[in-house]
Amino acid sequence: MISDITAARDAALADIAAACALDDVAAASARHAGRKGRLAGLKKGLGSLDSIEDRRSAGAAINEAIAAVEVALADRRTELAREATARLVESERLDLTEHVVAPARGRAHLVTQAWERLEDVFVGMGFRVAEGPEVETDWHNFEALNMGEGHPARGEFDTLFVDHVAPGGSVGSTLLRTHTSPVQIRTMLEQDPPIRIVAPGRVFRRDTPDATHMPVFHQIEGLVVDRGISMADLAGTIDAFTKSFFGRGWESRLRPSYFPFTEPSAEFDIQRPDGSWIELGGCGMVHPNVLRAGGVDPEEWSGFAFGFGIDRMAIMRHGVADIREMFADDLRFTEQFS
Ligand code: FA5
């Protein structure tokens, strides 16, 4: 009897383990645990056993077997229900990978980075940011800057002219600005001294591209007009600027030079940590004729001005050998500067 019970229990447990669906579990339950099941049949046969002892031990073994089968049935039902839920969840899963992957991040161009940093540095020194048009009049670009018609210095700016017919039919003299200096004039005409502005912007010259020249490049103009401004203020401002834009390891120097719109004039160089000097811009005390063109009385006010090449500052700051590399649109280059 005991061996029959053990065999019936093992067969029931094997059947239950093999059930692949809840229906299979129900069928196994009816076959083994139901009133018509194999174990129930064995239970009915208990009466045919002779001794009470045998009946008792066989009865206990059947009860244990039935309990084990019930537990196995319940466990298998739970397991199959869990698997069914997992399958359902998997089948209804939304693939959001496309939205999760972060898009590649762009970066500001090196010149934009330098431009923004320059603005930050000068705003930190008390300057306001001003701007002017890229298509300028001859008067703002040359004449008002003490370069009248026929002035030899005009030849140094390889100018691109823009045909312009004014409403009355007269031909105006219009050009792509060759430097940011016309913003000096526009600012003085708009605002009374004291003035303290920087004007970053794009400028144009018929220059052939090489390692330090582009036909389209960027400058930042500076203008300070106040009472008692001297060359010492200019030198101090440039030195403070150099230290904050480039860092402590860099020195600046002013070299005598000539610009028609400043007197005296100087060229501004900076020294790299390796000792070599590079020209970054021009500067000087604003010429009295320029102050007058801007409607400012040179007897009462004086000022200094400067104009630096932003592109050159960008290549200097990042150790780029050739200015043209910045405009080749090569991502392998651009991505090195974040
Ligand atoms: C001027 O343009 C003057 N307006 C600067 C100035 C302003 C002097 C105020 C005094 C007072 P210059 O032509 O030297 O000067 O140009 C100034 C700087 O622009 C140069 O030192 C250089 O850094 C940059 N630069 C000039 N030409 C190019 C070019 N083709 N490509 C890139 N940078 C250039």
Side-chain angles (χ1 to χ4, degrees), residues 179 181 205 207 213-214 217 219 221 279-282 307 312:
H179 51 173
S181 298
R205 286 183 202 176
D207 277 346
H213 293 84
M214 288 297 286
F217 60 102
Q219 290 187 337
E221 194 77 12
E279 179 210 311
L280 282 190
R312 287 218 191 145

Side-chain angles (χ1 to χ4, degrees), residues 187-223:
T187 306
M188 285 190 282
L189 290 173
E190 270 167 22
Q191 174 197 339
D192 291 332
I195 293 170
R196 186 174 281 253
I197 59 109
V198 283
R202 191 156 51 161
V203 301
F204 309 82
R205 286 183 202 176
R206 277 191 309 119
D207 277 346
T208 309
D210 65 22
T212 50
H213 293 84
M214 288 297 286
V216 179
F217 60 102
H218 304 81
Q219 290 187 337
I220 183 164
E221 194 77 12
L223 175 68

